[in-house]
Amino acid sequence: MLRVLLILIPLGLTIYAFIDCIGTKDEDVRHLPKVVWAILILLFSLVGSLSWLFAGKKREFAGRPNGGRNQWVAPDDNPDFLKSLDENRKDDRKNDSPDDPH
């Protein structure tokens, strides 16, 4: 079982890193061109994959520039969610007709 894990974990990491590299926009790639990163990932699977994950791609969290931590926001504290509720309520009022019995 251990031998299988020693093969599957690096293989899975290599596949993930390669797909992540290919799907990354060119402007988000750091240090080397994307083609070079892809070749490094395929030739040196474990080292290339780990290098890509730690150094190859700009990683920023949504809503937090400069790599800050993205924290979960409860729906009642999320202004975008509250705004969407308000808009839905206004749409419902517009669609209600006075002779609709409910």
Side-chain angles (χ1 to χ4, degrees):
M1 179 67 178
L2 184 60
R3 280 187 245 165
V4 173
L5 286 177
L6 289 175
I7 293 171
L8 288 181
I9 290 175
L11 179 65
L13 181 65
T14 301
I15 292 170
Y16 172 78
F18 183 72
I19 291 172
D20 188 42
C21 177
I22 297 300
T24 300
K25 295 177 184 175
D26 288 337
E27 60 265 9
D28 291 338
V29 177
R30 298 189 313 181
H31 304 297
L32 297 171
K34 186 167 39 171
V35 174
V36 175
W37 277 114
I39 292 170
L40 286 175
I41 292 168
L42 292 176
L43 287 179
F44 308 103
S45 66
L46 190 59
V47 174
S49 300
L50 291 174
S51 298
W52 165 256
L53 293 175
F54 290 110
K57 180 179 179 181
K58 290 180 189 173
R59 305 211 183 254
E60 292 182 4
F61 294 100
R64 291 292 192 112
N66 303 327
R69 291 188 176 229
N70 191 14
Q71 295 180 347
W72 182 79
V73 177
D76 58 344
D77 292 336
N78 185 340
D80 295 330
F81 177 74
L82 294 173
K83 183 179 177 184
S84 71
L85 286 179
D86 215 17
E87 290 171 358
N88 289 341
R89 189 177 307 140
K90 288 177 185 176
D91 289 343
D92 287 343
R93 286 183 196 154
K94 287 180 184 177
N95 293 335
D96 285 344
S97 61
D99 43 296
D100 191 15
H102 278 58

